[in-house]
Amino acid sequence: MNNTPLIIISLDALGYCDEETYKNLPFLKSIIEKGTWIRKVESIYPTLTYPIHSTIVTGRYPIEHGVDNNLLVQPEKKAMDWYWDHDYISGDTILKNAHKKGLKIAAFSWPVSAKADIEFNVPEVSPNPVGTYIDHLKENGSGEYIEELQSVFGPFNSCDSQKKKDEWMANATAYTFEKHQPDITFLHLIDVDHQKHVYGSTHFAITDAIKELDDRLKRMFEKISKVKNLDEINIMLLSDHSQIDTAYPIRLNKVLADMDLVNVNEDGTVKEDWQAYFLTCGGSTALYTKEDNPKLVAEIKEKIESLNIEGIDQIFTTEEISDLKSSDRAKLWIEAKEGYVFDADARDFVESRDKEPGPRGNHGFLPSKEKNLAIAIFKGPAFKESKTIENEKIVDIAPTINKIYDLEIKNMSGSVINECLR
């Protein structure tokens, strides 16, 4: 078994479109020069954080691992639950298989990791409506260890800025490596994604956030290097998607409301008697129905097509969704044009250019769109030095890790990226 420590860091929303910024920053430039740089990584559809991170740890597509959105289909709730728990992922994962092999695992703000059977876990979960956030975090992660981390770094608060949260998680990662030297460490850094949602993909705040990310990584690895030479660690930096600028909302649930397929409460939630519902993915949206009713789906598709909605790019049928390997539950999947975003609201309008825009940047679009491409940089004993690869797929990450560490992950759809390996 390979005894080289592995550190996997998800740089949420750092994309190919950010290349001119990140490739010249001190830390990331040094990793690129000493390792393998994949300039363009095609993600999966939908390009949402939770389905993608489930693909990263399985080597399978959403239709295979079962996580096809960030959110569960719960339109009657004001705030829908997310796919927090690791058990939502069907089949083998890096976390499950590494644990079975006796490897020590740490995860910090890693999506779909709640209640995972690992040694050190500070999962990404939502604030709990009942009780305190930290109690909720401890219930879903490594409770005693979270208390220890708080005694060292202070409380981790859900209301803190994303920059402060990322800093806390990076410090906790370094501390855990120094004290326990996990065999595999997962870390998810989110601030670039947050800033793109707020400001759009090209605002100067994004450049600042990427510079801060580089500095955060530099400081974290300086601490780690005090206990182990970085040349003796396999480091995998990768992103999940980028973002595309959006301004104009589309509300397809208003179409369903006009068809009497959803009834809306005053607070915007949908009543429990809903028959069909569009679950937004930002740059795309997926139709779910309570009952399997192809005739109803055909009527909905025909109605939407008859409206000639400007912001719709493509409508995918059930068969086409299967070909995209996106979901085995969604009945339609609709892709927006650049500049448009799907809004979950079922009130007021179907499409508007007058409404004050919400998030300026969004993902969820097709992964093949150039502005939505991700990136990856690998360095360490397993990887070639000074190697540049133009294109790869995110579904190939897990097979590559599986080959290095012999984790015996079954039923992967991706392939090993042999070009990056020594």
Side-chain angles (χ1 to χ4, degrees), residues 113-154:
S113 69
K115 300 176 184 174
D117 192 7
I118 59 177
E119 286 71 21
F120 310 103
N121 193 11
V122 186
E124 184 172 272
V125 292
S126 68
N128 190 10
V130 180
T132 67
Y133 173 70
I134 198 63
D135 286 341
H136 186 51
L137 191 64
K138 285 157 59 178
E139 287 169 7
N140 287 279
S142 304
E144 291 184 4
Y145 194 63
I146 291 170
E147 287 184 357
E148 178 182 334
L149 292 172
Q150 288 203 116
S151 71
V152 177
F153 301 112

Side-chain angles (χ1 to χ4, degrees), residues 128-261:
N128 190 10
V130 180
T132 67
Y133 173 70
I134 198 63
D135 286 341
H136 186 51
L137 191 64
K138 285 157 59 178
E139 287 169 7
N140 287 279
S142 304
E144 291 184 4
Y145 194 63
I146 291 170
E147 287 184 357
E148 178 182 334
L149 292 172
Q150 288 203 116
S151 71
V152 177
F153 301 112
F156 182 82
N157 294 317
S158 62
C159 59
D160 284 340
S161 71
Q162 192 57 60
K163 293 180 191 297
K164 190 171 181 180
K165 290 178 185 176
D166 278 8
E167 190 69 16
W168 196 97
M169 289 294 176
N171 286 333
T173 299
Y175 172 86
T176 302
F177 193 92
E178 291 176 78
K179 189 170 182 179
H180 300 285
Q181 292 199 31
D183 298 295
I184 301 178
T185 299
F186 295 88
L187 171 62
H188 179 215
L189 297 174
I190 309 169
D191 190 52
V192 172
D193 179 72
H194 173 73
Q195 300 300 331
K196 286 187 176 183
H197 277 306
V198 173
Y199 296 107
S201 63
T202 57
H203 195 275
F204 68 83
I206 310 310
T207 301
D208 289 347
I210 296 170
K211 289 177 179 178
E212 290 169 1
L213 170 65
D214 185 77
D215 185 62
R216 185 170 293 118
L217 291 170
K218 175 178 175 289
R219 287 183 283 107
M220 186 187 81
F221 277 106
E222 282 175 348
K223 295 172 185 175
I224 289 172
S225 69
K226 293 176 182 177
V227 294
K228 196 162 189 75
N229 190 309
L230 296 188
D231 291 336
E232 299 173 353
I233 302 172
N234 285 323
I235 299 168
M236 301 182 76
L237 309 177
L238 55 113
S239 63
D240 48 357
H241 53 72
S242 186
Q243 290 197 27
I244 294 174
D245 290 343
T246 57
Y248 307 125
I250 303 170
R251 295 180 172 178
L252 293 186
N253 284 319
K254 178 65 167 65
V255 177
L256 300 184
D258 292 343
M259 296 175 71
D260 295 323
L261 298 175

